[in-house]
Amino acid sequence: MSYDLMVFCPDSPDLQSVLLLIGNTRGLHADSANQSHGSVLVSRGAKHEYSFTVAGPFRTTRADIAEQVLDTSPDVDTLFLVHVEGSDESEIPHGIRFARKLAKACHGVVLDEQTSELWPTPRARPSSEPEVYPRADAVELAWYCLADEIPADLPGRYLRLAQAFLPEAIPIRFGTYHPPQGDFSRDGEEGFARAWQQSVGTSFGLDTRYPVTWVSLDSVNQLRPGDVRAMRMTVAREALEEIRFRSTLKDFFIGFAREIGAFHATAEVVRNYMRYGDKLLGDNSAELFRSLVFVFRSSELRNEWVGLKPYPVWWSWYGRLYEESVRPYLIGQVEQYPDGVFHALCETPHNRDALAELLPDPGQPMFPAEYCAVYDGGELRPLSLASKVPPRLREVTFRPH
């Protein structure tokens, strides 16, 4: 679970002002040991348990700021991000209260990324009608690997694969927070690699070209214990109806899994995204919030592998840690590689309900229950972890940054 709030401010306040505000807020503490690269972890209460992270300041341009923010506060030019991460939803109100306190102190405005609501609430426009955004399906790709196996030149390997198979995935802008601060045309491959290597604690995001609408690359350095890292990509499903694009995306999917030594990777249809220009955004109506894209996070703040997904996915990759144990259960297309196996349940992207109908018993999952975590009602937090997991994925040898 994660919850993000964007605080837009005028007059370019700095992080020291934020630290002072944290110190003056009863019950909150700035974790000085975890301040790096323009972010600070905030703990709460006598036990100093993690509550949320504040990152920034980030300079913004008017093109990066939502119109509803500019309508309310036209002079904003600086962004802070308040990020609540973990499974304890009780911390969300504390993050919201601090975001509002920060906005009030800097005469700014808070944009809740989950609900698109503003604070302070702007005055309603009597003649305006709420904008209705069209809906579309996406294909979410994810590659899971171990921190100590991530190649040091991962950005370069990513770029070479994108140039060969998927030029739409070449970054336009990149960075740790939105809006991305790096510019590929300005900073080049060296700047792209340097920014990824310096990123700590949160995913490193890429703005790309349609139909690749978003990419994020985990860094080796994390603020949470655990060895598992994930790389992600969002692609508009409609583009995959075209055979040539589907073929090149498959080449990229397999190639990237092999380049980073992924022990598992998936490509699954996620329904009902909100289409905003050439971007696909997940809101509360999207299946994203009932899709287990974050299968490597358990009920604690850990980069911990919880198991395979309990529903079928369109494409999957199983590296050396998994390939022998899952092979007896793979039906459909199977391709063997020296370092893993690629599996496809069908030719074109199908959602999980359609894929279930392709299984020998549509009422049963593809894998035995012990391979998968147990969930309740589509919640992202598992009730229990899979009992049949490669032993290496239960170890923690890589310490937090």
Side-chain angles (χ1 to χ4, degrees):
M1 182 279 301
S2 63
Y3 202 97
D4 294 319
L5 301 130
M6 303 175 78
V7 183
F8 292 93
C9 304
D11 303 326
S12 304
D14 56 24
L15 190 59
Q16 287 304 120
S17 302
V18 175
L19 293 173
L20 183 61
L21 192 62
I22 294 170
N24 290 334
T25 303
R26 184 177 181 181
L28 297 185
H29 315 276
D31 187 349
S32 58
N34 282 310
Q35 293 179 32
S36 60
H37 302 292
S39 67
V40 58
L41 269 66
V42 180
S43 57
R44 186 176 63 82
K47 295 183 178 180
H48 287 218
E49 294 182 343
Y50 171 81
S51 184
F52 55 86
T53 302
V54 182
F58 304 111
R59 296 291 296 176
T60 62
T61 65
R62 294 184 70 85
D64 293 324
I65 304 173
E67 289 184 9
Q68 61 189 118
V69 172
L70 293 173
D71 288 345
T72 303
S73 186
D75 297 326
V76 297
D77 58 5
T78 303
L79 168 68
F80 288 94
L81 180 68
V82 178
H83 179 71
V84 184
E85 184 176 23
S87 59
D88 191 351
E89 295 185 1
S90 65
E91 295 305 314
I92 293 175
H94 297 285
I96 292 174
R97 279 195 289 272
F98 182 79
R100 292 180 177 181
K101 185 171 184 177
L102 175 57
K104 184 176 181 180
C106 70
H107 308 288
V109 62
V110 180
L111 175 62
D112 187 317
E113 288 202 270
Q114 288 63 224
T115 64
S116 299
E117 294 178 353
L118 288 181
W119 186 93
T121 304
R123 294 180 180 179
R125 297 179 180 179
S127 59
S128 65
E129 293 290 335
E131 189 167 1
V132 178
Y133 294 97
R135 295 282 166 174
D137 293 346
V139 171
E140 287 285 353
L141 300 94
W143 296 264
Y144 304 100
C145 58
L146 292 166
D148 58 4
E149 296 182 0
I150 295 178
D153 60 342
L154 180 143
R157 298 188 187 205
Y158 172 89
L159 283 173
R160 286 190 289 275
L161 279 169
Q163 289 162 351
F165 301 115
L166 200 62
E168 297 88 348
I170 296 172
I172 300 172
R173 297 173 65 184
F174 53 84
T176 308
Y177 295 102
H178 182 81
Q181 303 295 294
D183 185 321
F184 190 72
S185 63
R186 177 194 66 206
D187 304 328
E189 181 174 342
E190 288 187 6
F192 177 56
R194 184 170 55 252
W196 175 78
Q197 290 161 355
Q198 293 175 350
S199 63
V200 176
T202 56
S203 291
F204 178 75
L206 284 60
D207 273 344
T208 50
R209 294 172 178 80
Y210 184 87
V212 178
T213 72
W214 178 251
V215 175
S216 65
L217 305 175
D218 263 7
S219 68
V220 175
N221 301 315
Q222 292 289 323
L223 300 175
R224 300 182 300 271
D227 294 358
V228 180
R229 303 291 184 266
M231 317 297 165
R232 307 186 185 282
M233 177 180 291
T234 304
V235 179
R237 183 192 180 281
E238 61 195 19
L240 288 159
E241 295 298 329
E242 202 272 314
I243 296 175
R244 182 161 41 187
F245 183 76
R246 195 162 64 238
S247 175
T248 57
L249 182 65
K250 177 186 170 184
D251 289 337
F252 183 92
F253 176 76
I254 295 172
F256 196 49
R258 301 184 69 189
E259 287 285 351
I260 67 173
F263 62 82
H264 186 42
T266 59
E268 65 171 296
V269 174
V270 181
R271 289 168 280 192
N272 208 34
Y273 272 72
M274 179 176 69
R275 188 190 295 276
Y276 185 80
D278 61 355
K279 298 296 182 184
L280 296 177
L281 306 175
D283 62 1
N284 291 334
S285 299
E287 192 178 43
L288 176 68
F289 290 91
R290 295 180 295 279
S291 179
L292 306 178
V293 266
F294 299 105
V295 296
F296 68 105
R297 290 180 184 165
S298 71
S299 57
E300 300 174 354
L301 269 177
R302 299 171 64 86
N303 292 326
E304 183 176 13
W305 182 247
V306 302
L308 302 178
K309 297 184 181 184
Y311 54 82
V313 297
W314 176 42
W315 285 346
S316 51
W317 168 267
Y318 303 94
R320 292 192 181 100
L321 291 179
Y322 260 118
E323 64 172 315
E324 292 305 319
S325 60
V326 302
R327 185 181 294 278
Y329 308 105
L330 301 180
I331 64 169
Q333 178 187 353
V334 177
E335 297 179 10
Q336 182 66 54
Y337 292 83
D339 42 5
V341 60
F342 168 79
H343 175 243
L345 268 171
C346 56
E347 183 64 27
T348 57
H350 286 44
N351 62 53
R352 68 185 70 171
D353 296 329
L355 291 173
E357 295 298 321
L358 302 177
L359 300 179
D361 185 348
Q364 296 297 320
M366 191 166 78
F367 297 109
E370 58 265 27
Y371 283 85
C372 308
V374 177
Y375 294 86
D376 180 30
E379 293 291 330
L380 294 180
R381 177 177 59 187
L383 298 177
S384 62
L385 308 185
S387 59
K388 193 173 183 61
V389 167
R392 175 63 184 89
L393 299 182
R394 285 284 182 259
E395 297 174 3
V396 178
T397 61
F398 204 93
R399 296 299 163 189
H401 179 78

